[in-house]
Structures are given as structure tokens and as C-alpha cells.
Amino acid sequence: MLAESRGLSMEAEQLYRALLDGRPTTPGAELAELERFGLVRPGASGPEVCPPRAALSAFAAQHEAAAVRAREAAEVLGAAYSLRTGRDADFVEVLRSRDEVIATFEAMQTQAGVDIVALDPGSYMSPKAEVSTMQPGSMARGIAYRVVYDSSVLQDDDGFVQVQSSIALGEQARVFPRLPLKLVIADSKRALIAVPNSDAGDVLALLIHPSMLLSALIELFESFWRMAVPVRAGGPDDAEAAQEPTLATRRLLALLSGGLTDEAIARELGISERTVLRRISRLQQLLGAQTRFQLGAQASRQGWL
């Protein structure tokens, strides 16, 4: 029997069965309900019955999507509630001391079985870049590291040295400007979020366990990873890159960052559009950028802009 929980009343269901059997019916609210669900349509000699499965499946899918959104909202609001009240939800732990945060970060690395991924805008607890003492041992065990660094980290001398050291160990590193948060995820099972502001009182970090919130954080990392620019070991140190940035390169990059079209850039520089394309392609290859957006980010990281 079609369940009322799907939104179809018993009276409308009985009317649908009557129409299927060819019994006489009278127009009313139940018929309008069936039309609303797509179960009947007007015909030349009266209402015509439509297949129910597709219509009711679409209705159920809408309610299932609403339920998913409600669960997602519950996860996010639960985290906010825990942060504000200090009462932990099942999927989140509040970390209130520097030692607790560091111990948790180290444990995530030593216990990892597959990979560690992270968004790193720089340390919130120290003005200088810090190298994790756990990373070399974890990588020696075969744990893969993928890290997106904020461009400001690589513009700092200590930060650049730290990133290059990590790359030398086998870390895959990329760079992106203005990362929104400091995030570490281990094996897609646990996430550590640093809390950088004082609004949270003495809360320094949140440890997130499997939940819709964790799934959202994983997708957030992957989105930044796809957009970020790869960082090459040693930086642009070959003979060609050593000559950069020339005045012509700086001017081209400035025009690109200003959003000008290739035609406008060519007109401004007094060269052909083909030459503009060739120069941009050369710079992308030189800096390991696959897109113009990545070219701008990488050029900014190198101090070329």
C-alpha cells in the first residue's frame, strides 16, 4: 500500500485505484491531489492514469534531498553549538590547550595508515614556520602527504625553507592565496581545525570525527587542491628562470592580473595576440602553472608581481 508518509492521502490512493479499475469517480480534492503528484492527467474522456513509480519516486527524492540538507545543517550547527557552549557533540571534540593540539596533530600522523592532507595558512601559535617532527617518520612508513600552502608562507624565508624540506622528503605541495582556515585530515577519518580568533575564548582547535561535516571538509580540501599551483623543488632556478622577471614579464603579468583580454594586452604592448599567447604559455611552463589563474598565484609567490 502507498504510505501516507510519502505525502499521498489514503483518499487519493483509493481514487487512483478506482481510476485504474475503470470505476466511476467524481471530481474533488483527491483528483486535484493526484494531478499535483503527476499520477493523473486530463484526457478527452476524463482523467487518465499515469505510471505511479516515476512520479512518487521524484517526490520521495525531493524529501530525501531535504532530509540530507537537514542533516548537514544539524552537523554544522552542532559544531557551532559545541564551540559556543563547550558541550561536545558526538562528532566533535574541543581542544583547549596548545599541548593538546600538538599532541593530537602528532597522533594523527603517527596513526595514519594512508595519507595526510592539509591546508596550511601558517602557524596560528608561532610567528615562525614550524616543521612537524612526525612527518619524516610517517613518510618513511609510506604515508602520502598533500599540502596546500598559503602564498604568504612561501614568501617568508623560513616558510620557504620548510616547504622545500618537506618536498625533498616526498611531500606534494601546492600554493594558493588567502586560504580560509588551517586544516589537517588523516585518512579521511579525522580532521583538525585550528581556531585563529579570540571569539572562541580558550578553544584552540576542533577535532572532527566521521560526519557530514568531515565529508564537507574533505571536499573543501580537494577543491583547493584542484585550484592550487604546484610548488617545484628548489623553485625557478634554471638558467631561463634566473633571468626573470624582466620588465616585459612584469608588465605582461600586471596586465593579466588587471583582467585585460589578450587583444587589449597585445594593443597595450604593441605586439600581436599570437605573441601574447606565446609569452603567457612560456611563463606557465616556466612556473609550472596549468591555468592563467595558477600563473598569477605562482608569480605572486615568486614575488614577480
Side-chain angles (χ1 to χ4, degrees), residues 262-275:
D262 290 353
E263 181 183 2
I265 293 174
R267 198 164 48 243
E268 185 72 22
L269 297 179
I271 58 179
S272 67
E273 285 188 57
R274 178 170 295 186
T275 301

Side-chain angles (χ1 to χ4, degrees), residues 96-107:
R96 302 181 184 279
S97 73
R98 174 188 166 91
D99 289 343
E100 192 176 12
V101 174
I102 292 175
T104 299
F105 178 45
E106 292 180 347

Side-chain angles (χ1 to χ4, degrees), residues 221-276:
F221 168 81
E222 295 296 344
S223 295
F224 277 103
W225 180 259
R226 288 190 292 268
M227 294 187 293
V229 178
V231 180
R232 298 189 301 171
D237 56 357
D238 56 45
E240 185 180 9
Q243 304 301 318
E244 295 288 358
T246 64
L247 182 61
T249 293
R250 287 184 182 276
R251 192 176 181 194
L252 173 60
L253 290 171
L255 293 172
L256 275 174
S257 65
L260 274 67
T261 64
D262 290 353
E263 181 183 2
I265 293 174
R267 198 164 48 243
E268 185 72 22
L269 297 179
I271 58 179
S272 67
E273 285 188 57
R274 178 170 295 186
T275 301
V276 170

Side-chain angles (χ1 to χ4, degrees), residues 104-174:
T104 299
F105 178 45
E106 292 180 347
M108 290 172 68
Q109 295 181 85
T110 57
Q111 295 168 10
V114 179
D115 65 0
I116 297 288
V117 301
L119 301 178
D120 190 353
S123 176
Y124 293 142
M125 292 181 276
S126 170
K128 295 188 180 233
E130 297 177 340
V131 178
S132 169
T133 57
M134 300 294 108
Q135 184 171 350
S138 296
M139 297 189 76
R141 293 190 292 109
I143 305 305
Y145 276 69
R146 289 188 295 145
V147 182
V148 179
Y149 293 94
D150 192 278
S151 55
S152 62
V153 174
L154 281 82
Q155 289 166 3
D156 174 79
D157 290 341
D158 290 337
F160 185 80
V161 170
Q162 176 221 327
V163 173
Q164 290 296 319
S165 298
S166 297
I167 293 174
L169 291 171
E171 174 184 289
Q172 296 182 62
R174 295 187 178 185

